[in-house]
Amino acid sequence: MANVLILGGGFGGVVAAEILAAKLSHDHQVTLVSRDDRFLFYPALVRLAFGECDIADISFDLRKAMTERRVRFIKAEVARVNPGSRHATLTHGEVEGEMSYDYLIFALGRRLATEQVRGFYEHANHLLTPEAALKFGEAVASFHQGHAIIGNCTEAKLPIPVFETAFALSRRLQERGERGGCRITVINPNMASLEEFGGRELATKLYRTLEEHGIEYVADFPVSEVTAQEVKTFDGHALAYDLLMLLPPFAGVGPVIETGITDSKNFIRVDDSMHVKDAERMYAVGDSISLRGAKTAHMSVRQAEVAATNLQAEIEGRIPLAKYEHEIRSVIDEGGRDSIYLHKELWTDETADVSQGRVWHWAKRVREMQWLHSHA
Ligand SMILES: Cc1cc2nc3c(=O)[nH]c(=O)nc-3n(C[C@H](O)[C@H](O)[C@H](O)COP(=O)(O)OP(=O)(O)OC[C@H]3O[C@@H](n4cnc5c(N)ncnc54)[C@H](O)[C@@H]3O)c2cc1C
């Protein structure tokens, strides 16, 4: 009997657990550990911030979902993983202490490295957790005139919610009759980042859509410091703000620090079978891994499918043959007819597939409802 441990109850962990529980024979035990017993659909946090949904609408009971699928669920904090002796250390939860495993899938996501930008913690809003999204929502509600800055810090690997927030804010101010008294600026850390994310066509369509909403775009603004009134760059440029939403730098999570399996930012190094380099019987998926470019739910799910397929093969004594192809497939929801769909292969030079229309606004909502319905 194999004891399979999955760490993290987000997109990657849930999909891996479902596949393994369904495909492995009942002799094997699949256990999922996560700090929260609810699954949260993170891409909906922009709508949460703007009061368009409640937490209950965008989350489900993870313990129930896992138990019904024959996965043992443990609510606990993962403090440490030791790939050499094959055990994880759990704290503050239903099980505490060392938990050994035969096979591991690591899916604990990423850490928000707010300490890398001076003043971020004290002054900036973000919306990468439900609490932060609700707090930013309160700031939006009391913003009636002045300058709103929305953007990415260097190493924040998630452009989608930045643009969605800027469009949602523009629409909200329009509805309130306050758009005229408000300036909105989107900032990005470097000139290349938008084209690197989705290619030239996406960048062109986004620039045009920003312009139509009267949103300014500053492409080369690497934030180094946030004060109560300004965001500043390393070379001394400053922009004053009245409302600020910034995505902080991303970094790998704590439990694998100094285990020898991470890159310099603490993201886990994997090969294209999702197997962790320099570790045995360990796979890693999702935001926790070291791959170029943005980090998205779509990627986490596809990586989890590959990892689970290969892990099953390993357990059953077959050669793990599934390979991951790195691609982005996302919608930037403008809230209406200018929503943009992007599909881009990231390991080839093929041009991106980009399309714009109201259908993508609806497609994103439908996808969210389907996901929550089929995994709850
Ligand atoms: C506002 C927002 C908008 C987004 N928009 C999109 C989008 O439009 N399209 C898209 O594809 N992606 C989008 N994303 C990105 C997407 O949500 C992530 O890429 C995805 O959630 C990563 O999945 P994951 O399983 O790797 O990690 P996560 O979903 O972060 O899951 C990690 C899990 O591990 C748990 N955990 C972490 N550390 C510990 C610990 N030490 N102990 C125990 N448990 C722990 C967490 O509680 C969580 O349940 C968005 C994200 C946000 C925040």
Side-chain angles (χ1 to χ4, degrees):
M1 182 197 110
N3 168 17
V4 179
L5 181 59
I6 298 171
L7 302 180
F11 286 93
V14 164
V15 167
E18 287 174 351
I19 294 174
L20 285 166
K23 292 196 170 169
L24 285 175
S25 86
H26 288 205
D27 310 338
H28 305 294
Q29 169 79 59
V30 180
T31 304
L32 186 139
V33 178
S34 203
R35 65 161 65 107
D36 203 338
D37 52 15
R38 290 195 75 77
F39 170 88
L40 179 69
F41 195 91
Y42 282 101
L45 288 183
V46 178
R47 292 197 303 110
L48 182 75
F50 283 86
E52 291 167 15
C53 59
D54 292 325
I55 299 260
D57 305 329
I58 58 170
S59 65
F60 60 75
D61 184 337
L62 183 57
R63 182 190 305 277
K64 178 169 165 286
M66 288 294 102
T67 309
E68 284 174 1
R69 289 167 174 82
R70 207 178 57 80
V71 176
R72 178 184 172 213
F73 177 80
I74 297 173
K75 182 177 173 182
E77 185 74 19
V78 181
R80 187 84 189 139
V81 171
N82 188 330
S85 61
R86 289 211 289 270
H87 72 258
T89 308
L90 308 187
T91 58
H92 302 102
E94 295 160 352
V95 172
E96 299 197 356
E98 315 256 289
M99 193 167 176
S100 62
Y101 60 82
D102 299 314
Y103 297 91
L104 180 73
I105 295 187
F106 189 98
L108 291 180
R110 68 332 186 221
R111 186 174 75 80
L112 301 179
T114 52
E115 78 285 353
Q116 290 179 16
V117 177
R118 197 184 325 157
F120 189 105
Y121 183 78
E122 294 84 346
H123 304 297
N125 284 298
H126 66 82
L127 43 62
L128 300 183
T129 64
E131 299 74 25
L134 291 170
K135 182 166 164 272
F136 174 60
E138 286 168 19
V140 168
S142 52
F143 175 69
H144 302 289
Q145 61 174 12
H147 189 195
I149 295 182
I150 317 283
N152 270 311
C153 294
T154 309
E155 299 296 329
K157 295 174 178 290
L158 197 57
I160 302 166
V162 167
F163 292 103
E164 290 188 343
T165 301
F167 293 133
L169 180 63
S170 175
R171 282 178 181 273
R172 179 57 51 88
L173 292 169
Q174 202 87 49
E175 285 159 17
R176 298 200 306 225
E178 295 172 338
R179 184 69 181 92
C182 300
R183 183 177 157 210
I184 304 175
T185 304
V186 168
I187 57 173
N188 237 358
N190 64 67
M191 301 292 278
S193 56
L194 199 49
E195 283 194 29
E196 276 169 10
F197 167 61
R200 174 149 300 211
E201 192 184 347
L202 175 90
T204 307
K205 282 192 159 53
L206 260 177
Y207 295 145
R208 207 206 62 229
T209 308
L210 289 169
E211 208 177 313
E212 280 174 7
H213 277 270
I215 298 169
E216 293 162 46
Y217 183 65
V218 180
D220 191 8
F221 200 92
V223 176
S224 65
E225 185 180 350
V226 182
T227 69
Q229 292 88 27
E230 289 181 329
V231 276
K232 298 181 178 177
T233 62
F234 293 95
D235 55 2
H237 290 96
L239 283 172
Y241 70 84
D242 301 287
L243 175 71
L244 179 67
M245 197 295 283
L246 272 185
L247 301 195
F250 288 8
V253 291
V256 283
I257 284 179
E258 289 174 8
T259 49
I261 59 169
T262 64
D263 66 14
S264 60
K265 309 266 182 210
N266 211 38
F267 291 112
I268 300 175
R269 289 178 284 107
V270 291
D271 60 25
D272 61 1
S273 68
M274 292 294 119
H275 198 278
V276 175
K277 293 180 180 171
D278 303 320
E280 285 181 0
R281 299 188 184 188
M282 178 172 178
Y283 293 80
V285 301
D287 286 5
S288 65
I289 66 171
S290 172
L291 281 186
R292 192 171 64 82
K295 293 185 180 294
T296 71
H298 172 73
M299 291 169 183
S300 303
V301 167
R302 295 188 68 242
Q303 291 157 6
E305 289 165 354
V306 170
T309 305
N310 286 333
L311 198 157
Q312 181 196 0
E314 243 194 284
I315 289 176
E316 294 173 353
R318 293 178 286 109
I319 298 171
L321 294 175
K323 299 282 179 220
Y324 172 68
E325 302 285 341
H326 200 30
E327 66 165 29
I328 185 159
R329 198 182 283 272
S330 289
V331 170
I332 299 175
D333 184 4
E334 175 269 350
R337 68 183 169 86
D338 280 330
S339 298
I340 304 176
Y341 166 79
L342 165 71
H343 173 219
K344 187 168 187 283
E345 304 285 344
L346 297 171
W347 282 340
T348 69
D349 288 335
E350 276 179 45
T351 40
D353 178 11
V354 182
S355 153
Q356 196 162 19
R358 191 180 298 276
V359 65
W360 299 115
H361 165 66
W362 291 115
K364 188 156 187 170
R365 291 298 311 284
V366 169
R367 185 76 193 106
E368 175 187 323
M369 286 189 279
Q370 274 175 343
W371 217 92
L372 290 166
H373 180 71
S374 59
H375 296 269

